[in-house]
Amino acid sequence: MVESRLIGPVRVVGTGLLGTSIGLGLRARGIDVILADASPTNLSIAVDYGAGRAATFGDLPQLIVVCVPPDVTAEIVARELAAHPQAIVTDVASVKLAPLQELRALGADVSRYIGGHPMAGRERGGPLAGRADLFVGRPWVVAAHDAISYQQATAIDDLILDLGAILVEMSPEEHDSAVALISHVPQVVSTIMARRLTDATGSALNLAGQGLRDVTRVAASDPELWVQILGANAEPVRDILLAYRDDLDRFIDALEAPAAPGARRKVAEELAGGNAGVARLPGKHGQDRRFVSLSVMVDDTPGQLARLLNEVGEVGVNLEDLRLEHSPGAQLGLAEISVLPEAVGRLTEELAARGWRIAG
């Protein structure tokens, strides 16, 4: 068992995906985790899965992590601060300024509270989706404020490091502006694009490739949760959407008369601006020049993808990223493999020798 920085116990309020994952990660380090949830069913599932034990009278937690929906975060944090005057309290809500302002309005002791936001999640929610490694390598924002000292906040830093996450310090205002750009506005844009599909013909949808699926993936998110998030972070989201509307207007104007002098240049400049923006994304999600892609045709039969990945390993090439695309009506798919540039030639030769078809 890996040694932990936290002493514990740690009380986790809310046993959905994040709360259960926190519990599982801390239990793997031997920390006593106390679970609480308004839903007896969710609580029972999280306990059965080994995320911790149910709360009992007399528990004295070192740290409390509130993992509830954004619209009740401040209320629950205030309640936990009052019920456990010796504990430090944090939360995982995706907005940080509104809960802090509400807590101050409630007269809560914010000298023992500091907000947090792990930038991690899954397509599914609830305790059944919990994973002990959910936060490994992911940023976890700590939204500091003047009323709490660094020494008091040490337990929150220890929590983040124990779960394998990367601690990022921001003010609540900086955090909310940042997530408006990298998370909240993309949700709106994805949703608006996906709404265009509701009246599309079946023949058009059958042509959909990975590009459309990438753009609309997050449109499948929970509407109830996103109503809360967007309402709590409305101002920075609105500001970015206003600028986005200007961007759309420039495209629309250029396409109104695409043969007019300068129209194609305007479109090219906008597209080039998109290239520049994507290139700034770190790691494998952006156009990282450290990696190149190789597309391999994979038959749509059981075990083929597993065989491909196994043989990439046998060749001795590290797989940096993987994307799959399946063509409707065709009994094959494309596996887009990202590897280091110096490995692509050897990998191409080795896979071809083993009978794999390389696209392009």
Side-chain angles (χ1 to χ4, degrees):
M1 186 175 296
V2 182
E3 185 178 352
S4 66
R5 296 170 178 83
L6 280 170
I7 299 171
V10 175
R11 175 177 165 90
V12 177
V13 182
T15 53
L17 167 64
L18 296 183
T20 300
S21 296
I22 289 170
L24 290 169
L26 295 179
R27 286 299 304 136
R29 288 180 168 268
I31 297 170
D32 181 18
V33 178
I34 304 160
L35 302 177
D37 198 300
S39 167
T41 299
N42 279 359
L43 176 60
S44 177
I45 292 172
V47 171
D48 287 347
Y49 267 72
R53 60 178 176 85
T56 58
F57 179 77
D59 286 329
L60 294 173
Q62 172 197 15
L63 175 66
I64 299 170
V65 188
V66 174
C67 308
V68 299
D71 63 343
V72 294
T73 292
E75 174 189 343
I76 302 302
V77 168
R79 187 185 71 187
E80 294 295 317
L81 286 167
H84 303 279
Q86 81 292 342
I88 300 298
V89 181
T90 188
D91 70 89
V92 297
S94 56
V95 289
K96 298 274 64 86
L97 184 58
L100 179 60
Q101 291 175 331
E102 189 175 344
L103 284 166
R104 284 173 168 157
L106 291 170
D109 180 9
V110 294
S111 70
R112 294 187 291 110
Y113 163 78
I114 187 168
H117 182 202
M119 306 299 294
R122 298 186 68 189
E123 289 80 6
R124 296 181 294 126
L128 288 172
R131 287 174 36 176
D133 63 351
L134 183 67
F135 310 103
V136 174
R138 303 300 301 160
W140 189 314
V141 177
V142 174
H145 57 86
D146 293 340
I148 187 168
S149 70
Y150 177 80
Q151 186 175 7
Q152 287 174 299
T154 299
I156 299 170
D157 295 354
D158 290 343
L159 167 75
I160 294 168
L161 296 173
D162 276 351
L163 292 173
I166 301 169
L167 192 156
V168 179
E169 295 184 1
M170 288 182 167
S171 71
E173 293 86 355
E174 289 171 335
H175 168 273
D176 288 1
S177 293
V179 295
L181 177 63
I182 60 95
S183 176
H184 301 170
V185 168
Q187 175 66 49
V188 175
V189 172
S190 178
T191 296
I192 293 171
M193 182 63 231
R195 287 196 65 186
R196 296 294 93 209
L197 305 179
T198 57
D199 297 324
T201 64
S203 57
L205 294 176
N206 284 339
L207 300 176
Q210 195 60 41
L212 181 65
R213 298 177 194 279
D214 285 347
V215 171
T216 59
R217 181 180 62 83
V218 298
S221 300
D222 179 12
E224 182 179 350
L225 174 62
W226 274 99
V227 166
Q228 296 180 33
I229 293 172
L230 293 172
N233 203 27
E235 184 176 350
V237 171
R238 181 179 181 275
D239 289 343
I240 297 170
L241 286 175
L242 287 172
Y244 183 72
R245 184 171 67 184
D246 293 339
D247 295 339
L248 285 177
D249 285 341
R250 287 197 301 274
F251 255 113
I252 292 168
D253 291 344
L255 294 174
E256 186 173 358
R264 286 186 172 85
R265 189 187 74 180
K266 291 179 181 178
V267 172
E269 288 173 349
E270 295 297 326
L271 294 172
N275 293 160
V278 169
R280 293 199 64 203
L281 290 173
K284 303 167 190 176
H285 302 289
Q287 304 239 342
D288 196 317
R289 304 306 178 191
R290 292 176 298 169
F291 308 131
V292 294
S293 295
L294 175 69
S295 294
V296 183
M297 298 181 186
V298 181
D299 291 335
D300 188 15
T301 55
Q304 288 302 298
L305 180 60
R307 183 169 74 87
L308 172 62
L309 298 181
N310 183 61
E311 293 188 4
V312 170
E314 289 178 356
V315 173
V317 173
N318 187 46
L319 184 64
E320 303 294 343
D321 201 0
L322 171 68
R323 289 177 54 181
L324 298 175
E325 183 171 355
H326 187 271
S327 300
Q331 296 302 308
L332 60 86
L334 287 178
E336 185 179 297
I337 300 171
S338 294
V339 298
L340 291 170
E342 57 267 28
V344 68
R346 178 165 61 90
L347 181 61
T348 300
E349 292 177 2
E350 289 281 356
L351 291 179
R354 295 166 184 246
W356 293 100
R357 293 171 292 169
I358 310 301

